[in-house]
Amino acid sequence: MPNQISLFEAMHTQRAIRYFKPDPVPDELVWKLIEAATKAPSGTNRQPWKFVVIRDADSKRRIGEYYRRAWDRAYGDRAASSPSIDSRIRSSAEHLAETLHLVPVLILVCIERGSSPSTLGAGASIYPAVQNLLLAARGMGLGSVLTTLHKRYEREIKELLAIPNMVETVALLPIGYPAEGARYGPTRRRPSGEVTYWEQWGLQG
């Protein structure tokens, strides 16, 4: 494992990694990722998260097929001509759709919601765990990206993995060592002053 980096370095250099080496990821590191995820806050400390670690080649192949179908439905030829999608992002996202089944590890992040309906508010108790996991991956020299396209085939994927009805999948995270040329940050973001208002909407400091 590489030398650990600071929290702020991890945040400032975290990027969506969609190109991966085929090298296996040790179970020890997978456990560290999940442990980091479980340290996140959740509403009333309910800790509703569950994680399904997927290494089986056949399961990854089938999930990859669903993911590719979802990509085609969501973007397909439309994405190629859309000015709102950077060509490099489109290319890397399509590459992931084509090669998801080859990524060493997939982690399906789920939330136990019981009889409660799926709501945006429920994300407050699960997405902090996802971000913890992504930052931990960056800190350990692993790449990942938060994806949700699989949800177009959530019923089929839940059936494949024997996930109960009262459990909702919220993110599919490919985990692996970044391929050559797939580098971490620094990231390019709009200046914080452009997206921050003080006291009232529209009043900038």
Side-chain angles (χ1 to χ4, degrees), residues 69-126:
R69 278 191 239 166
W71 163 268
D72 290 339
R73 287 178 56 191
Y75 301 104
D77 294 337
R78 178 171 61 84
S81 60
S82 173
S84 64
I85 301 177
D86 183 281
S87 61
R88 290 172 299 174
I89 294 176
R90 182 193 189 279
S91 178
S92 67
E94 186 168 21
H95 171 81
L96 179 63
E98 294 173 345
T99 61
L100 186 73
H101 63 290
L102 299 176
V103 178
V105 181
L106 302 179
I107 298 180
L108 189 63
V109 184
C110 306
I111 182 170
E112 284 189 308
R113 56 177 177 80
S115 59
S116 302
S118 177
T119 65
L120 180 62
S125 287
I126 189 65

Side-chain angles (χ1 to χ4, degrees), residues 28-43:
E28 174 191 3
L29 298 191
V30 175
W31 281 116
K32 285 182 178 292
L33 294 177
I34 294 174
E35 182 180 19
T38 64
K39 301 304 180 184
S42 66

Side-chain angles (χ1 to χ4, degrees), residues 42-88:
S42 66
T44 66
N45 198 31
R46 191 165 63 89
Q47 304 175 52
W49 41 65
K50 295 290 188 224
F51 307 89
V52 182
V53 179
I54 305 154
R55 291 189 184 275
D56 179 72
D58 186 59
S59 293
K60 290 193 297 180
R61 177 187 61 79
R62 294 177 64 183
I63 292 170
E65 290 172 354
Y66 290 128
Y67 192 91
R68 178 67 213 209
R69 278 191 239 166
W71 163 268
D72 290 339
R73 287 178 56 191
Y75 301 104
D77 294 337
R78 178 171 61 84
S81 60
S82 173
S84 64
I85 301 177
D86 183 281
S87 61
R88 290 172 299 174

Side-chain angles (χ1 to χ4, degrees), residues 49-50 108-112 118 122-123 126-127 130 146-151 154 167-173:
W49 41 65
K50 295 290 188 224
L108 189 63
V109 184
C110 306
I111 182 170
E112 284 189 308
S118 177
I126 189 65
Y127 283 113
V130 173
L146 194 166
T147 71
T148 57
L149 276 176
H150 76 281
K151 287 184 68 67
E154 181 167 32
V167 174
E168 180 180 358
T169 70
V170 298
L172 179 64
L173 309 179

